[in-house]
Amino acid sequence: MVNAGTEKSNALLDPLENRGVAFSLEERKRLGLTGRLPSAVFTLDQQAERAYAQLHQQPDDLAENIYLEQLHDRNEILYYRLLADHLDELLPVVYDPTVGQAIKLYSHEYRRPRGVYLSIDRPDDVRASFEGLGLGVDDVDLLVVTDAEEILGIGDWGVNGMQISVGKLAVYTAAAGVHPGRCIPVSLDVGTNNQSLLNDPLYLGERHSRRRGKEYDDFIASYIETVAYLFPKALLHFEDFGPGNARRILEQYQDKVRIFNDDVQGTGAITLAALRSALKVTGERFKDQRLVVFGAGSAGCGIADQLRNAMVADGASRAHADAQVWLIDRLGLLTDEMSELRDYQKPYARPAAEVKGWADGGPIDLLTTVRHVKPTILLGTSTVPGAFTEEVIRSMAEGVERPIVFPLSNPTERIEAMPADVLAWTSGKALCAVGIPVSPIRLVGTTYTIGQANNALLYPGLGLGTIVAGAEHVTDHMLLAAADAVASQVTSSQLGAPLLPPVENLRASSTIVAGAVIRAAVADGVARSDLGDVSDDSQLVQRVQDAMWQPVYRSR
């Protein structure tokens, strides 16, 4: 028999059970909480109103992030109610860009562990770390894991990167109703090459450089095999791995387990959604596009892959689609004579003979490439601020009536060009989407609303749909379906209209995406066999909504 003291302790200390002064007097008596709380009994609405007021008493975004994390640790239902009520306002606080500041200060601001911390120095602890959670094979829907080598625009932050896993899961729950009690954030601590961390006496991670090679691969294999065995129904989300590992891990395991990499697949799919909307405006077909990507890492190549697949789906051959993509990185335009190319870059490397004479023996830069290629689409994933100069944009506009320009790098100080400048340099003809929140722009009597290519528009619904469908794998068709579902939510025919939907309706948007993903999973034959008929729209929407966790207090 559980005594009242134990029940009281659990009720107040478990953030999924604690409801603070919202416990009724009867509940307080039954749970042994008599005299442990002030007399007033508040509703969740009243608590949310007070929490929102407290939030706005914080001096800056970082302080708001810390306040929300403390609330998260204390009362998860109230935390998610606050997020759900103000998602468009708070998404940049709990995740990008403010989470970057929180990551830098993680070891100094550390208060409470959340999730599972795995060390490459103790690989034998992997299974015990998860078994210690006391969760069964049917108890976990989603794990988000990072080794924190390439976080947003700030690079390698070692164990501090746990905040990425925590923040990503918060968005899954707030935006798509994935049950927070069925999610696990995970940190893979393989060391760090960040000297500021290694020299910081308060740093909480392993104090050695990043381990590579077989030791790293064996550690990854141990993680994947362990969680796939213990939680066979869970989606394994990988986040912010370095470009040398992200794509390689995805390709190695995507046909074996239910794995998703947001940097490679999610970024590509949300960009595809924006381009679907842009091509509705231009009236052109995907197979006829000429794409220049500035930034040839995992994100840039992931986008290139998604757009190449869209060209093929539109009737292009694979060879033709590959030839319609030009990649540029720190070495300049990638060509087949370069010895440092990664496997995923090679399909897009231009024949050296094709570009002979473009430059005088040196690297072929962005401006030169634009002048020769006359691209219809210019994408930036480089984190090189100001790379899309006025000369680059004007040169592009000379070759196409409605240039599609997506400077996607974030945070703001790393964006390739601000959309206000891109619009001014093209007399308002450019079709823009960016990776940061941007206020509407007024130009020559027209207001331009700039869509944010925020992965949160896509991955929560994709994850929810994968979970509800019980999909064995995340297929290319499921990604395309998610992109099309996002694009279907905007009408871009009016001048200045956004190419992507706003985030304030993210929960409803995620429902639409999840439904499309479920249908694609069924069509691909990877959904669970007892899913039944998914052809009826109203029934499918209801099924998705029934699966979504709601931040409300339930009777105890």
Side-chain angles (χ1 to χ4, degrees), residues 2 36 164 180 261 287 305 325 330 344 348 435 443 456-457 511:
V2 178
R36 305 298 297 173
I164 282 291
N261 187 301
K287 68 187 183 87
D305 287 349
V325 179
R330 59 185 177 82
Y344 57 81
Y348 305 113
L443 181 68
L457 291 166
T511 303

Side-chain angles (χ1 to χ4, degrees), residues 22 69 121 271 394 426 470:
E69 274 303 296
D121 294 352
T271 305
R394 288 192 182 278
T426 61

Side-chain angles (χ1 to χ4, degrees), residues 331-364:
L331 301 174
L333 179 67
L334 301 190
T335 63
D336 59 9
E337 63 182 4
M338 292 178 172
S339 60
E340 298 182 23
L341 295 179
R342 300 185 183 277
D343 289 344
Y344 57 81
Q345 296 171 329
K346 290 179 180 177
Y348 305 113
R350 313 306 298 190
E354 173 192 306
V355 299
K356 185 177 181 180
W358 284 21
D360 296 329
I364 301 172

